[in-house]
Amino acid sequence: MAILASGIVMSHYAHFNLSPVTQITVQQTFRTFAFLAESCVFAYLGMAIFSFSHSFKPAFVIWTLILCLVGRAINIFPISVIVNKFREHQIDFKKQFIMWFSGLRGAIAFSLALHLPFPNEKRRVIVSTTLVIVLFSILFFGGSTMPLMNLLQNIGVEDKSQAKHKKLPQSDEESDEDMEDSDVVGEEEYALSKTVE
């Protein structure tokens, strides 16, 4: 937590005190390190499937997954409502849903599960359950996030286009009045053209 807080604070101070060339160099360097670290984590997760002895309990896996989703919803939606009261640019429901849907539970959860001080049998159940949830969230939620974003974006575009082209229906009396007004305007223009001639 100290490293995270220090990084957030220092990024606002240190980044803007660097030259433009150094800013680009530092960004690319840290992106490379982040990619390498992420690759190592996913390689370790992949090897863990075959390296550890597993003990699966389907009911425990399902309930854990449901509680993870519920816990994430309890965090994201109420906090977004509170934050929107102090923000100029609001977090709409589509963005909140994407934040809830695309949350990946990965390396930290798995490393915590590995270091829990439980007996071997309970520890195997927890590690196996965590691994299943991590793989499911990465493959299902991570793989379907982009199609879901495209779907929500298309729905938003269609709603805007329908609202733009939607016209209010006119009553018969209003349409008759419009016809009479156009006739009067036409007669005036005709009379004006005759006088000019």
Side-chain angles (χ1 to χ4, degrees):
M1 293 303 295
I3 294 173
L4 179 62
S6 174
I8 293 172
V9 173
M10 291 299 293
S11 66
H12 293 285
Y13 173 77
H15 180 75
F16 297 104
N17 287 297
L18 300 173
S19 66
V21 175
T22 310
Q23 287 179 3
I24 295 171
T25 304
V26 169
Q27 283 180 350
Q28 296 301 323
T29 302
F30 280 107
R31 283 179 183 172
T32 303
F33 284 139
F35 177 77
L36 292 173
E38 189 177 1
S39 300
C40 292
V41 167
F42 283 111
Y44 183 73
L45 287 173
M47 290 188 294
I49 299 173
F50 307 102
S51 301
F52 296 101
S53 58
H54 298 291
S55 178
F56 295 103
K57 296 193 179 296
F60 186 64
V61 171
I62 292 170
W63 276 108
T64 306
L65 181 61
I66 291 171
L67 291 174
C68 282
L69 295 175
V70 170
R72 190 165 180 85
I74 290 172
N75 277 281
I76 287 176
F77 295 111
I79 291 175
S80 297
V81 172
I82 295 171
V83 168
N84 279 339
K85 295 183 183 297
F86 305 98
R87 284 174 58 98
E88 182 180 352
H89 302 288
Q90 301 289 302
I91 305 173
D92 59 11
F93 181 75
K94 289 180 183 178
K95 292 176 183 174
Q96 295 176 28
F97 184 79
I98 289 295
M99 286 192 294
W100 170 78
F101 185 84
S102 63
L104 303 178
R105 302 142 191 95
I108 296 175
F110 188 67
S111 63
L112 289 174
L114 286 175
H115 293 90
L116 286 175
F118 284 139
N120 286 333
E121 182 59 32
K122 291 182 180 179
R123 188 167 169 272
R124 277 201 298 269
V125 172
I126 292 174
V127 169
S128 301
T129 302
T130 306
L131 191 58
V132 169
I133 292 174
V134 167
L135 292 175
F136 180 78
S137 65
I138 290 171
L139 296 175
F140 178 74
F141 292 119
S144 56
T145 296
M146 190 59 69
L148 181 64
M149 289 176 65
N150 292 331
L151 178 65
L152 291 176
Q153 187 176 6
N154 291 336
I155 291 174
V157 170
E158 288 176 4
D159 291 342
K160 287 181 181 178
S161 63
Q162 287 177 0
K164 188 175 181 180
H165 296 296
K166 186 176 181 181
K167 293 181 180 179
L168 294 174
Q170 290 184 337
S171 63
D172 292 337
E173 294 177 358
E174 290 177 347
S175 60
D176 291 341
E177 289 176 0
D178 291 341
M179 291 286 288
E180 290 175 2
D181 291 341
S182 63
D183 291 342
V184 170
V185 171
E187 289 174 1
E188 289 175 354
E189 289 178 353
Y190 180 73
L192 185 62
S193 65
K194 285 293 186 183
T195 55
V196 170
E197 290 176 0

